[in-house]
Amino acid sequence: MREVHDIIISPLVTEKSTTQRESQSQYSFKVNKRANKIEIKEAVERLFKVKVREVRTATIRGKVKRLGRRFGKRPDWKKAVVTVKEGDRIDFFEGA
């Protein structure tokens, strides 16, 4: 099994993820492209000491960008939306 920090790259803090966190106890993370749902669930449970109910994943395609005449592409990445058990919270997202 991979290390926890190799699976979860960073949290995603957007308007949509903030709304999901407040209303539905769902947290969004940028994760390793090769990680599966089981690895993501175990990594979140070990790292944040919460009980995970559900994991949904999506592969986000990188946008094509242009700089002058040249075209380039941002890298593809994977997003995971994790639903935690009622009453559990991940304090990492709460403002200090």
Side-chain angles (χ1 to χ4, degrees), residues 43-55:
V44 169
E45 287 179 345
R46 285 180 37 209
L47 191 61
F48 298 109
K49 309 287 189 279
V50 294
K51 183 68 178 160
V52 174
R53 283 191 354 201
E54 180 185 18
V55 176

Side-chain angles (χ1 to χ4, degrees), residues 9-59:
I9 297 170
S10 66
L12 290 178
V13 181
T14 61
E15 271 187 62
K16 183 176 180 178
S17 68
T18 303
T19 305
Q20 286 178 328
R21 182 184 72 223
E22 292 169 354
S23 64
Q24 302 167 352
S25 298
Q26 294 180 340
Y27 297 89
S28 299
F29 298 96
K30 184 174 183 179
V31 296
N32 189 319
K33 283 196 297 187
R34 305 181 105 209
N36 60 34
K37 291 181 180 186
I38 296 167
E39 291 175 330
I40 294 168
K41 177 182 176 179
E42 291 173 355
V44 169
E45 287 179 345
R46 285 180 37 209
L47 191 61
F48 298 109
K49 309 287 189 279
V50 294
K51 183 68 178 160
V52 174
R53 283 191 354 201
E54 180 185 18
V55 176
R56 292 181 294 147
T57 60
T59 302

Side-chain angles (χ1 to χ4, degrees), residues 61-67 70-76:
R61 292 179 31 181
K63 294 181 179 180
V64 175
K65 292 292 185 175
R66 191 175 115 180
L67 183 63
R70 303 192 190 280
F71 286 89
K73 182 178 169 292
R74 290 191 176 166
D76 298 340

